[in-house]
Amino acid sequence: MTKSLLLAPVLLLTCFVYAQQPHKPIQPTDINRIPTLSSPQVSPDGKWVTYSVSEVDTAKDGRVSHLWMQSWDGATSIQLTYGPEAASTPKWSPDGKYISFMSSRESKKGGQVWLMDRRGGEGHKLTDIKGDIDHYEWSPDASKLLLAIGDPENGDKEEPKTPVPLKIDRYHFKQDVAGYLQHLHLHLYIFDIATKKLDTLTKGDFDEQSAEWSPDGRQVVFVSNHSVDPDRNENNDIFVMDAKPGAALHQLTTWKGHDEDPHWSPDGKYIAYLRSTSDADYMMYDQNILCLMDADGNNKKTLTQQLDRPVTSFAWSKDSKTIGFLVADDRERYVAGYDLTSGKISTFLKGEFSVAGIAANVNGNWLLQMSNPYMPTELYALGNGATRRLTFHHQQWLSTVTLAHVQGFQSKSSDGTLVSGLVYTPDSVNRKKRPMIMYIHGGPVSQDEYSFDVTRQILSSAGYTVIGVNYRGSNGRGLAYCKAIYADWGNKEVKDLLGAVDEMVKQGLADPDHLGICGWSYGGILTNYTIASDTRFKAASSGAGSSLQSSMYGSDQYALQYDNEIGPPWKSQDKWIKLSYPFYHADRIKTPVLFMSGLKDFNVPTAGSEQMYEALKSENIPTEMILYPGQFHGFTKPSYQVDRMQRYIAWYNKYLK
């Protein structure tokens, strides 16, 4: 069943209706009203885009995604699927007549590939695979599917009443969400649509990812780590093989860092891919550069190293003459292109916004997933340097809320380093001194951008000046800036954070007597470092953080980083003690702290929060700890996401107002 909307008259009507609704400051419960757009795909004829929209089902306390189709001219929007069963990852058949998608309907465990007529009607199940399908791609002639399936092939079997013991013998033996890792891997298969036959392409103690058909359908390209022990390095390389069982694998890249995300040019002559700048076994502080090679692996060259900025995504133009790509650069994520004929890079679109995805259309235009501080991600068409908005899924709920004002700022740290950040204030006119919350991003290798940030929006709308700071270790400022904190955590970052606080006080936006601090993951870790270094903060919230760092060795998923960056604790004890100063100097902390953690978090396990909670309790510092059952490092249950925001506000209202 489908629903078609002619956007022009509908938008006129809805704009009138929205105008009658009162605007209120955004609240924690507004999290339940925000849809999420993902997986956009342009039709072969370039006239349509299909994508998925995920929305909160409060009754089931979860999200459900459905498929939509948007015309390229912007005139028509069609919802393709409905109901309680989710549909995601839509893809066009090569002839453009059908849309395939992933759904777990009629399956006890795992999703299957389904197929529906693009004109509407009920879908039907295309695959019935005994395993978890991680990824799928149509063959160019539409006769086969390339599948990446997780081992073992028992996805529909029920769990035994008494689970068998887990045998663990891997160096990297645990991972958030995945849990404890055994020798189960992701392998490639070819599924014949007519005969329903499943043929095995790859096997062994390796994983194969980012698989793609060659334009002529004869070969498959993919990424895999075939080193002696893949757990002990990040040496992913690019391989090709004929698209038939038993075919030999040919390794195209030999860089000892990681090569990833390979894509054939539409004419089949080249493969573009991303490569790390570092060739170390592991390097947290790194950035991807765009590379190009002939389809047989010859004539490799780097295309964007001179930018000294990470390339985060790319796509080929349909004529194989241009590669469009995204660049993270000092709070922005912009669109650029590499011209194969001239060898030159040009900027296609740049400004105070963030582009999260890019795809090509047959007419020389580009499809973008784009957001800004006042709008979550929507789809846009880009052509001749101008954008045209295609989707309006956030229009209704945004028309009912008042958002915080967002602008960039720069500050100087005590050692003279220039640092960039973003400041959120409840309004743009009344820029007065207010209680301030510094919300620290995680990573550390990421950056705060001119994108929609619901957490900071909600905190600011509660009456606070809120800032985000791209401290050293963040990306978007070049490799030297990113690597500055190598094996020296909680030092330069804290200087950068405190310098930003000083700047906000200087600008009259922050009340120096009512300062708060907050963060999740590395942001929680930095919260602990900062309150152990400076007692000016009157309230803090540390989410999914740690401080007794040596206790994380073997408890979290970062042994490879620890061994390569710090060294094992028994060989580098002094370093580990130095990096654990918030725990060993817990008596210096005077700030009331709210600790939070997901009980299934293997990224930064709950023990990291428990240790600091107990330390502050021993010192009689006001503290609470909130533990969320069944949640990993990133929360997925909507009610818990709302609860976390409500607890933030209650905690800061108690100690800052």
Side-chain angles (χ1 to χ4, degrees):
M1 183 180 182
T2 62
K3 176 175 65 178
S4 177
L5 301 178
L6 297 179
L7 288 185
V10 170
L11 286 177
L12 288 175
L13 174 61
T14 52
C15 287
F16 175 77
V17 174
Y18 298 159
Q20 314 306 313
Q21 299 178 1
H23 284 59
K24 297 180 180 180
I26 187 171
Q27 301 293 314
T29 52
D30 284 315
I31 290 174
N32 292 332
R33 304 171 62 195
I34 304 176
T36 301
L37 281 65
S38 61
S39 306
Q41 295 271 321
V42 182
S43 64
D45 62 9
K47 296 180 179 180
W48 293 89
V49 178
T50 184
Y51 57 99
S52 64
V53 178
S54 171
E55 296 182 292
V56 172
D57 183 337
T58 54
K60 294 185 177 181
D61 200 10
R63 299 187 75 95
V64 61
S65 64
H66 284 294
L67 308 185
W68 285 71
M69 195 164 71
Q70 172 66 50
S71 63
W72 188 260
D73 62 14
T76 308
S77 181
I78 303 171
Q79 183 171 349
L80 297 174
T81 64
Y82 294 85
E85 298 294 339
S88 63
T89 324
K91 295 180 184 291
W92 294 91
S93 62
D95 59 10
K97 294 180 179 180
Y98 299 94
I99 296 172
S100 58
F101 59 94
M102 293 292 299
S103 180
S104 58
R105 62 184 76 175
E106 299 183 11
S107 299
K108 295 179 181 178
K109 280 180 65 177
Q112 299 292 333
V113 180
W114 286 63
L115 190 66
M116 69 184 305
D117 193 304
R118 63 173 289 178
R119 297 167 297 182
E122 291 296 327
H124 68 274
K125 189 164 62 172
L126 197 58
T127 65
D128 191 14
I129 305 298
K130 302 295 183 181
D132 294 329
I133 299 175
D134 180 80
H135 180 74
Y136 76 98
E137 293 284 343
W138 285 90
S139 64
D141 65 0
S143 67
K144 299 179 179 67
L145 293 178
L146 174 63
L147 303 175
I149 305 175
D151 294 335
E153 293 183 354
N154 63 352
D156 286 340
K157 291 184 179 180
E158 294 183 3
E159 290 288 337
K161 292 183 179 180
T162 303
V164 298
L166 298 177
K167 177 186 175 181
I168 304 296
D169 62 0
R170 290 179 58 173
Y171 171 79
H172 180 60
F173 70 94
K174 64 193 305 186
Q175 185 74 26
D176 196 37
V177 182
Y180 288 100
L181 303 178
Q182 296 176 288
H183 293 276
L184 305 177
H185 295 285
L186 195 67
H187 294 305
L188 302 182
Y189 300 79
I190 288 182
F191 177 81
D192 188 285
I193 294 175
T195 65
K196 308 295 183 184
K197 183 183 178 183
L198 186 69
D199 287 322
T200 301
L201 283 187
T202 63
K203 54 187 176 181
D205 205 14
F206 308 108
D207 295 281
E208 288 84 36
Q209 301 172 338
S210 303
E212 181 179 280
W213 294 93
S214 62
D216 61 10
R218 295 180 179 180
Q219 291 185 305
V220 170
V221 65
F222 58 90
V223 171
S224 189
N225 184 337
H226 282 215
S227 61
V228 175
D229 187 351
D231 284 350
R232 294 182 181 271
N233 59 69
E234 291 193 317
N235 187 19
N236 286 332
D237 285 303
I238 297 173
F239 295 78
V240 296
M241 65 182 299
D242 289 343
K244 57 185 179 181
L249 276 62
H250 301 283
Q251 185 173 336
L252 299 185
T253 62
T254 56
W255 181 250
K256 290 186 178 180
H258 66 255
D259 302 291
E260 60 188 30
D261 200 24
H263 295 289
W264 255 293
S265 59
D267 61 13
K269 294 180 180 179
Y270 306 101
I271 295 176
Y273 61 101
L274 299 178
R275 197 205 77 184
S276 63
T277 55
S278 170
D279 62 356
D281 285 343
Y282 184 94
M283 173 55 71
M284 167 70 77
Y285 319 100
D286 201 358
Q287 57 191 29
N288 280 334
I289 54 179
L290 182 63
C291 300
L292 184 69
M293 61 182 167
D294 294 344
D296 60 5
N298 290 323
N299 299 317
K300 296 180 182 68
K301 56 182 177 181
T302 60
L303 307 182
T304 63
Q305 193 159 13
Q306 69 272 27
L307 295 179
D308 193 23
R309 295 292 186 272
V311 173
T312 60
S313 182
F314 71 92
W316 282 95
S317 63
K318 298 299 182 181
D319 61 7
S320 300
K321 295 181 179 180
T322 306
I323 305 173
F325 58 92
L326 308 181
V327 183
D329 177 32
D330 194 9
R331 296 165 292 183
E332 300 177 1
R333 194 175 302 255
Y334 69 87
V335 186
Y338 176 84
D339 185 283
L340 269 69
T341 302
S342 67
K344 294 182 178 179
I345 293 173
S346 57
T347 299
F348 290 171
L349 186 69
K350 198 174 190 299
E352 292 187 352
F353 47 76
S354 177
V355 183
I358 182 171
N361 200 345
V362 293
N363 54 14
N365 292 344
W366 303 90
L367 175 69
L368 306 179
Q369 297 170 257
M370 191 163 67
S371 72
N372 62 51
Y374 308 104
M375 186 192 68
T377 299
E378 295 276 13
L379 301 183
Y380 283 77
L382 170 65
N384 299 319
T387 59
R388 177 170 52 84
R389 185 170 169 181
L390 295 177
T391 62
F392 295 82
H393 289 277
H394 299 286
Q395 196 83 1
Q396 183 173 4
W397 79 268
L398 282 176
S399 69
T400 66
V401 298
T402 300
L403 298 176
H405 176 70
V406 185
Q407 70 179 57
F409 73 90
Q410 289 189 313
S411 57
K412 275 195 175 181
S413 304
S414 59
D415 59 6
T417 301
L418 188 66
V419 176
S420 299
L422 298 169
V423 56
Y424 294 66
T425 52
D427 60 69
S428 59
V429 177
N430 189 14
R431 288 170 53 84
K432 65 180 183 180
K433 181 168 67 176
R434 290 184 173 89
M436 191 192 81
I437 300 170
M438 177 164 58
Y439 189 91
I440 310 167
H441 74 70
V445 185
S446 63
Q447 68 164 350
D448 290 320
E449 298 180 350
Y450 290 105
S451 59
F452 189 81
D453 190 318
V454 67
T455 298
R456 293 190 178 99
Q457 281 285 352
I458 291 173
L459 289 176
S460 183
S461 293
Y464 295 94
T465 294
V466 179
I467 63 171
V469 182
N470 286 325
Y471 52 85
R472 276 169 282 186
S474 304
N475 64 18
R477 292 281 301 278
L479 271 175
Y481 192 87
C482 191
K483 290 182 178 179
I485 67 170
Y486 183 89
D488 187 24
W489 311 335
N491 178 19
K492 298 181 178 71
E493 313 100 296
V494 172
K495 292 178 181 177
D496 296 344
L497 297 173
L498 295 178
V501 173
D502 292 340
E503 178 63 25
M504 291 297 98
V505 172
K506 179 181 176 181
Q507 290 189 20
L509 296 177
D511 184 340
D513 297 321
H514 296 84
L515 299 175
I517 186 171
C518 186
W520 197 267
S521 190
Y522 198 74
I525 293 171
L526 282 183
T527 295
N528 298 343
Y529 278 129
T530 306
I531 61 177
S533 305
D534 196 309
T535 60
R536 75 174 88 176
F537 298 96
K538 300 300 188 292
S541 178
S542 174
S546 61
S547 289
L548 183 55
Q549 305 301 0
S550 59
S551 70
M552 295 292 102
Y553 191 96
S555 296
D556 64 20
Q557 62 191 36
Y558 293 107
L560 183 61
Q561 179 186 356
Y562 298 150
D563 283 348
N564 282 275
E565 185 175 345
I566 308 300
W570 52 94
K571 293 183 179 179
S572 311
Q573 191 176 45
D574 290 345
K575 288 183 180 179
W576 285 94
I577 291 175
K578 179 182 177 182
L579 296 178
S580 301
Y581 74 77
F583 183 83
Y584 289 117
H585 297 294
D587 56 336
R588 298 179 181 177
I589 297 175
K590 307 304 177 186
T591 305
V593 184
L594 175 68
F595 293 99
M596 293 182 173
S597 177
L599 283 174
K600 294 182 72 174
D601 189 344
F602 274 12
N603 188 315
V604 185
T606 299
S609 297
E610 292 173 333
Q611 291 160 355
M612 282 303 292
Y613 167 81
E614 191 64 30
L616 296 193
K617 273 294 183 184
S618 297
E619 291 296 314
N620 294 312
I621 299 299
T623 183
E624 291 180 10
M625 183 165 58
I626 311 299
L627 304 177
Y628 292 90
Q631 297 303 286
F632 302 109
H633 195 63
F635 286 9
T636 57
K637 192 174 285 292
S639 65
Y640 288 161
Q641 295 171 344
V642 172
D643 181 87
R644 177 169 54 185
M645 292 305 310
Q646 291 171 332
R647 292 183 187 274
Y648 281 158
I649 292 171
W651 188 258
Y652 292 115
N653 285 351
K654 179 178 180 179
Y655 289 102
L656 296 186
K657 289 187 177 180

